[in-house]
Amino acid sequence: MKTSAKISLTISSLMMIFFLYGCSEKTHEHPVTVLSGKIINPKTKFVVLSNGAMKFRDTVAVDESGLFKAKLDSFTEGYWSLSHGDEYADMFLSAGDSVHMTFNTEQFDETMNYEGKGADKNNYLAQSYLLDEQDTTNWYILAENDFRQKSDSAKKSSEQRLKIFLDSFPSVSETFGKYEQAKILYLWAV
């Protein structure tokens, strides 16, 4: 085979490789994040999903059996909110999570449960919300010193709860731990 034929064959082969690579399915920079759920006693035919910075907001259909599913191709890791009717749940989503949530609208907070990749941190948030809600009931009627004592005690309790959680689930992202620590400090300072 002549040199010019070899060069032509090599160029043709390279062009074919580049063509096939260009036609191949592109992968996402970040893995797709999936949030799905089952609503018992749905109040509306949709849920609203938004991130904490409100840079993303989407309405997701709920079918007749109370099921919904949202796929997020790219987004910022952090706090997200899902609302349904007059109820809402805060959660923390990371790239690649595949979270399935269930709740009953008649006891929304008490029945909130998460399964799948990313469920641990969201179950932690749901349980923390219930504990904090019980702990802070009627604080507004306390004298200033009593309020400060309760607030300091609640902060310490929240910090201990977070430490135990992070120690128990070391695979949870470092970002989640930092965000939760900042949230505890903010709620104490307010």
Side-chain angles (χ1 to χ4, degrees):
M1 193 177 240
K2 292 188 172 193
T3 306
S4 63
K6 286 181 182 177
I7 292 173
S8 179
L9 182 60
T10 303
I11 291 173
S12 296
S13 297
L14 285 173
M15 288 176 56
M16 182 61 81
I17 290 170
F18 289 135
F19 175 75
L20 291 174
Y21 177 75
C23 292
S24 67
E25 189 174 315
K26 301 287 186 204
T27 58
H28 297 286
E29 283 185 28
H30 300 286
V32 173
T33 299
V34 178
L35 176 67
S36 61
K38 167 73 173 156
I39 305 172
I40 300 164
N41 300 313
K43 302 288 183 187
T44 65
K45 295 187 182 287
F46 61 90
V47 295
V48 177
L49 181 63
S50 59
N51 70 353
M54 292 302 288
K55 292 181 181 179
F56 177 90
R57 183 178 169 95
D58 193 18
T59 301
V60 180
V62 175
D63 71 16
E64 300 79 31
S65 59
L67 298 173
F68 65 90
K69 186 174 188 176
K71 290 184 180 180
L72 306 167
D73 289 333
S74 64
F75 68 100
T76 303
E77 176 182 48
Y79 292 111
W80 288 73
S81 181
L82 179 131
S83 61
H84 180 72
D86 59 354
E87 298 281 2
Y88 72 93
D90 287 329
M91 49 197 143
F92 193 94
L93 296 176
S94 302
D97 281 354
S98 183
V99 179
H100 181 81
M101 64 190 311
T102 57
F103 60 88
N104 184 332
T105 60
E106 293 178 4
Q107 289 188 307
F108 187 82
D109 297 326
E110 296 77 9
T111 60
M112 186 63 60
N113 187 52
Y114 298 88
E115 295 177 352
K117 184 178 180 195
D120 296 330
K121 60 192 171 206
N122 289 299
N123 282 318
Y124 165 83
L125 290 175
Q127 291 303 311
S128 291
Y129 177 80
L130 287 175
L131 292 170
D132 292 343
E133 182 180 49
Q134 292 170 353
D135 193 39
T136 58
T137 303
N138 296 323
W139 280 23
Y140 63 91
I141 61 172
L142 296 174
E144 183 179 347
N145 286 338
D146 293 336
F147 179 86
R148 286 183 188 202
Q149 285 180 334
K150 284 273 197 183
S151 181
D152 290 345
S153 176
K155 177 180 176 273
K156 185 175 181 179
S157 176
S158 293
E159 289 170 337
Q160 288 173 338
R161 184 181 335 128
L162 178 60
K163 181 180 180 345
I164 291 168
F165 172 76
L166 293 174
D167 289 346
S168 300
F169 296 95
S171 64
V172 170
S173 77
E174 186 177 317
T175 303
F176 176 78
K178 288 180 180 180
Y179 276 40
E180 279 299 291
Q181 289 169 346
K183 184 171 80 173
I184 290 168
L185 183 59
Y186 174 79
L187 292 174
W188 171 79
V190 175

